[in-house]
């Protein structure tokens, strides 16, 4: 399969794709490892491997960032941050192994539990299959594969077809660091039926999926009985800007949260609800800042907004913007393709509430601004969609921030920061149609284990 630059279509590499035979070999190898307890890697060995992998990544950080920017289109300045996060993520896996354990269950507290002791011990859940997305081609893989290694699970990882190289590089680094090859196998699969077959196999103990809701919920329905999963999909992230908000502080954060990676982030700033008294001013200042952003080659150190992942995504985003404008939205900036791969950072004022940009995840460089009169009205509009992920509120008032926190349908509410804020140890979870389970490295580490209870007599 050819891997091409999303910016200019140039050929970067070719990679081998897996067929039936490769999938069966990977599954049988991984499952045999899991079933053979004598083959399990002891925690000390897992820590040693992960620490060495982090050191190797530090040594190769710039080449990893260049590769991620080239294949995924995220500007180099942001890809460098992604690599730094990925290295920290590997170290977080070590921390989880060192600090997370079982627990004591109280006994000897009534006649039924008299003269007994009970405690739990954690064991790997089984074979982990990780299906990943394109938008963070290295860090997402670390979030899915790193905890599997730490938990002691054999893993099979399927990277996004657009961005397989960063995944393959990370798996190579793990093997170089001492992880036996059978414990982490990467498969590039370009056939949906084959990918579904991999996920649905009865030997799979856990599915980690990052991608579209349509695919994720379909795959969940195919899981074998007993298999567990975590799904991370998208949202249409809402931001509340109160009348008392510090606009000078809010604007750069809204710009970053909306246009980071050309809006191709599951918690990108998309719907901004601003009090009517400040709405027009906020929207126009937001447009002024958006016009200043440098759009283009992700490998240039000056680029702030890179390409969309495929030309058809540029066409789709443009169609959605035109629909909103035709429906009455005011186009304050952007609104057209720059090339077949890049789209102008766009700000829309008052798009129709039933337009696609108001109701579906744009996954492109588009921010929509709406006026509200009462805060609870804005909260109701923010909560009106079947998706829910991260949200934000800008205000100088503690009571306003707490009011919004208590009433917004979201797994996280950022105060005076954008919706795309994340550190890799915090819980990260889509609600309703936006996902299932909780991401974040220590949370994933726990998901990929089972707790086994010991109950015995006191001597």
């Amino acid at each position: 399969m050819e891997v091409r630059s999303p910016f200019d279509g140039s050929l970067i590499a070719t990679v081998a794709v897996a067929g039936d035979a490769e999938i069966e070999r990977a599954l049988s190898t991984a499952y045999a490892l899991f079933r053979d307890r004598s083959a399990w890697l002891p925690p000390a060995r897992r820590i040693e491997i992960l620490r060495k992998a982090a050191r190797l990544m530090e040594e190769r950080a710039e080449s990893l960032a260049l590769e991620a920017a080239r294949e995924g289109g995220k500007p180099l300045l942001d890809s460098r941050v992604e690599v730094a996060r990925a290295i920290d993520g590997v170290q977080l896996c070590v921390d989880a192994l060192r600090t997370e354990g079982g627990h004591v269950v109280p006994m000897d507290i009534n006649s039924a539990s008299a003269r007994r002791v009970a405690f739990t011990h954690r064991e790997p859940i089984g074979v982990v299959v990780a299906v990943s997305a394109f938008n963070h081609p290295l860090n997402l893989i670390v979030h899915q594969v790193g905890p599997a290694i730490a938990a002691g699970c054999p893993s099979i990882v399927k990277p996004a077809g657009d961005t397989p190289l960063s995944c393959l590089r990370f798996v190579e680094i793990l093997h170089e660091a001492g992880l036996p090859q059978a414990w982490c196998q990467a498969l590039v699969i370009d056939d949906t039926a084959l990918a579904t077959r991999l996920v649905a196999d009865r030997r799979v103990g856990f599915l980690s999926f990052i991608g579209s809701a349509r695919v994720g919920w379909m795959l969940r329905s195919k899981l074998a009985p007993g298999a567990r999963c975590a799904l991370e999909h998208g949202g249409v992230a809402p931001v509340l800007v109160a009348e008392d908000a510090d606009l000078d502080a809010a604007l750069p954060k809204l710009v970053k949260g909306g246009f980071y990676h050309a809006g191709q982030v599951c918690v990108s700033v998309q719907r901004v609800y601003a009090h009517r008294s400040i709405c027009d001013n906020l929207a126009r200042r937001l447009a002024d800042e958006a016009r200043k952003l440098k759009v283009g080659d992700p490998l240039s150190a000056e680029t702030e907004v890179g390409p969309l992942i495929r030309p058809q995504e540029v066409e789709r985003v443009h169609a959605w913007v035109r629909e909103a404008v035709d429906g009455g939205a005011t186009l304050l900036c952007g609104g057209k393709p720059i090339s077949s791969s890049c789209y102008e950072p766009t700000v829309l004022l008052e798009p129709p509430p039933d337009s696609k940009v108001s109701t579906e995840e744009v996954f492109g460089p588009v921010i929509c601004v709406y006026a509200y009169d009462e805060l609870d009205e804005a909260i109701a509009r923010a909560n009106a969609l079947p998706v829910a992920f991260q949200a934000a509120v800008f205000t100088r008032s503690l009571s306003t921030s707490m009011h919004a926190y208590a009433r917004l349908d979201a797994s996280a509410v950022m105060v005076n920061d954008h919706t795309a804020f994340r550190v890799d140890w915090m819980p990260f979870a889509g609600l309703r149609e936006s996902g299932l389970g909780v991401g974040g490295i220590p949370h994933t580490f726990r998901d990929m284990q089972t707790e086994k209870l010991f109950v015995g007599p006191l001597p």
Side-chain angles (χ1 to χ4, degrees):
M1 185 176 73
E2 293 183 340
V3 182
R4 293 188 173 273
S5 161
F7 176 65
D8 60 12
S10 60
L11 182 65
I12 302 172
T14 56
V15 295
V17 297
D20 272 313
E22 289 78 18
I23 290 171
E24 175 56 34
R25 183 162 57 246
L27 283 165
S28 60
T29 299
Y31 190 65
L33 275 178
F34 173 66
R35 297 299 296 170
D36 181 5
R37 287 175 176 261
S38 67
W40 288 7
L41 297 174
R45 179 65 179 138
R46 290 177 243 157
I47 288 172
E48 179 186 346
I49 290 165
L50 290 165
R51 282 178 168 165
K52 185 172 181 181
R55 289 196 300 271
L56 292 171
M57 293 171 73
E58 287 175 344
E59 293 168 5
R60 301 167 193 178
E62 185 64 12
S63 65
L64 289 170
L66 282 166
E67 187 162 64
R70 185 178 293 114
E71 69 170 341
K74 183 187 298 174
L76 184 58
L77 63 93
D78 291 321
S79 290
R80 287 173 175 146
V81 174
E82 178 182 345
V83 171
R85 284 181 58 189
I87 294 167
D88 187 53
V90 174
Q91 294 166 338
L92 286 169
C93 294
V94 173
D95 293 343
L97 261 169
R98 290 174 59 86
T99 59
E100 300 275 352
H103 67 281
V104 173
V105 179
M107 290 283 163
D108 207 18
I109 57 175
N110 62 9
S111 58
S113 62
R115 306 299 301 163
R116 285 178 170 81
V117 63
F119 58 85
T120 68
H121 171 76
R122 289 185 178 168
E123 293 188 348
I125 195 170
V127 175
V128 169
V129 167
V131 178
S132 205
F134 77 85
N135 52 341
H136 307 288
L138 180 62
N139 199 39
L140 292 183
I141 300 295
V142 167
H143 270 259
Q144 295 173 287
V145 171
I149 294 166
C153 297
S155 61
I156 301 168
V157 56
K158 176 202 168 300
D162 292 304
T163 55
L165 303 180
S166 294
C167 171
L168 297 176
R169 196 75 62 227
F170 178 59
V171 173
E172 287 173 4
I173 286 172
L174 289 172
H175 294 157
E176 186 178 343
L179 183 72
Q181 292 203 4
W183 280 91
C184 183
Q185 304 172 81
L187 298 178
V188 178
I189 302 172
D190 64 352
D191 182 285
T192 302
L194 286 178
T196 303
R197 186 208 144 187
L198 168 66
V199 167
D201 192 277
R202 62 174 181 79
R203 291 166 288 189
V204 174
F206 191 90
L207 166 66
S208 171
F209 176 84
I210 302 173
S212 76
R214 178 185 61 81
V215 175
W217 292 111
M218 180 277 292
L219 289 177
R220 184 201 180 209
S221 73
K222 305 293 185 183
L223 290 176
R228 301 181 189 175
C229 69
L231 310 177
E232 183 185 307
H233 305 143
V236 188
V239 178
L240 309 179
V241 185
E243 188 175 11
D244 67 345
D246 181 345
L247 296 189
D248 290 337
L251 278 165
K253 293 180 177 180
L254 293 173
V255 169
K256 186 66 177 179
F259 299 124
Y260 167 71
H261 198 8
Q264 298 170 114
V265 179
C266 60
V267 285
S268 288
V269 170
Q270 183 170 330
R271 297 178 293 154
V272 178
Y273 297 97
H275 190 272
R276 193 170 301 279
S277 64
I278 62 169
C279 181
D280 190 71
N281 180 38
L282 170 67
R284 295 185 187 281
R285 289 182 63 183
L286 193 58
D288 289 342
E289 294 303 313
R291 290 188 196 95
K292 298 174 186 176
L293 294 172
K294 294 180 173 61
V295 184
D297 185 352
L299 298 183
S300 168
E302 290 74 41
T303 297
E304 297 166 286
V305 179
L308 295 179
I309 192 64
R310 291 180 291 275
Q312 53 264 44
E313 291 300 295
V314 176
E315 297 168 7
R316 178 190 59 79
V317 169
H318 187 54
W320 287 21
V321 169
R322 293 316 309 169
E323 177 204 40
V325 172
D326 291 344
T330 301
L331 178 64
L332 297 181
C333 71
K336 62 181 184 295
I338 295 173
S339 67
S340 63
S341 62
C342 294
Y343 198 80
E344 286 186 331
T346 299
V347 177
L348 296 170
L349 180 61
E350 296 289 3
D354 60 349
S355 62
K356 288 187 175 65
V357 297
S358 296
T359 58
E360 299 181 36
E361 184 180 26
V362 174
F363 226 58
V366 179
I367 297 178
C368 305
V369 184
Y370 313 82
Y372 73 85
D373 296 301
E374 299 293 336
L375 185 62
D376 282 341
E377 167 210 340
I379 292 172
R381 293 164 69 185
N383 291 344
L385 302 181
V387 291
F389 213 137
Q390 298 196 157
V393 56
F394 286 86
T395 179
R396 301 174 198 257
S397 165
L398 177 61
S399 63
T400 299
S401 64
M402 293 303 296
H403 184 89
Y405 168 75
R407 288 163 175 78
L408 281 166
D409 290 345
S411 60
V413 177
M414 312 304 164
V415 177
N416 295 327
D417 211 333
H418 58 66
T419 55
F421 174 82
R422 186 184 186 186
V423 290
D424 296 283
W425 56 90
M426 77 185 215
F428 191 71
L431 307 180
R432 300 205 293 262
E433 292 182 14
S434 289
L436 180 69
V438 179
I441 281 172
H443 307 277
T444 303
F445 172 75
R446 288 191 286 270
D447 270 356
M448 291 179 175
Q449 294 178 307
T450 58
E451 276 196 290
K452 182 184 284 187
L453 177 67
F454 172 95
V455 180
L458 284 169

